[in-house]
Amino acid sequence: GLVHSYIHPGGRVGVLIEVNCESDFVARTQDFQDLCKDLCLQIAAASPTCVRREEFSPQLLARETAIFNTQAQESGKPAAVIEKMVAGRIEKLYKESVLLEQAFVKDPNLTVEDRVKAGISKLAENITVRRFVRFQLGQSVA
């Protein structure tokens, strides 16, 4: 695998990402490094909070669900409609916050997961986005 870094022009945003593969040979290829760079650009531009849905903060999900539920109930719609409204807003939250579910910044018709799968197909090797950290100047570390 590879730990790749990216500093956005102007030095206000930086990203570190760990992307794993099965061999050092693949990790040294230009295609693998381009994938890592694309993922760093995505993280810098779209500010995801986690790699996959399972890693999404349960506390944040509970808080957002409560907010969505309150907003939906204020609409005066029937309970079944409220439930679907909340579920739809949660799905939208995942698509905005989960790296692999985000629309790919270089081609919004694809998701980031589609871009990773394209890399897997091209390199004929399993690739896993392990973790990332996004730094922004002036932003506190939580």
Side-chain angles (χ1 to χ4, degrees):
L2 184 68
V3 173
H4 190 79
S5 64
Y6 170 77
I7 304 295
H8 193 69
R12 299 188 63 82
V13 176
V15 176
L16 283 174
I17 189 167
E18 178 184 348
V19 182
N20 295 333
C21 60
E22 296 170 343
S23 69
D24 288 338
F25 172 76
V26 168
R28 290 190 301 264
T29 65
Q30 189 62 48
D31 289 329
F32 188 81
Q33 291 178 17
D34 288 346
L35 171 63
C36 292
K37 182 180 179 185
D38 283 350
L39 293 171
C40 283
L41 289 171
Q42 176 75 31
I43 294 163
S47 301
T49 59
C50 58
V51 176
R52 46 195 65 72
R53 189 178 284 212
E54 298 78 33
E55 299 167 0
F56 196 83
S57 165
Q59 296 84 3
L60 179 58
L61 181 60
R63 189 181 80 218
E64 293 297 318
T65 301
I67 291 168
F68 296 153
N69 204 5
T70 301
Q71 291 171 342
Q73 287 179 1
E74 289 172 355
S75 72
K77 308 251 188 219
V81 174
I82 289 173
E83 189 175 309
K84 288 181 182 178
M85 288 171 65
V86 171
R89 289 183 181 166
I90 290 170
E91 282 301 312
K92 183 179 179 193
L93 176 66
Y94 283 139
K95 288 184 185 326
E96 293 171 351
S97 303
V98 177
L99 175 64
L100 294 177
E101 296 187 28
Q102 289 181 331
F104 183 46
V105 292
K106 286 188 169 181
D107 183 355
N109 295 322
L110 300 174
T111 64
V112 174
E113 185 171 27
D114 294 335
R115 173 63 179 97
V116 172
K117 286 179 179 177
I120 291 170
S121 294
K122 188 169 190 174
L123 294 166
E125 189 161 328
N126 193 28
I127 297 170
T128 306
V129 179
R130 171 90 167 86
R131 59 188 166 167
F132 68 86
V133 175
R134 182 182 187 276
F135 298 92
Q136 184 165 342
L137 192 64
Q139 188 177 52
S140 64
V141 178

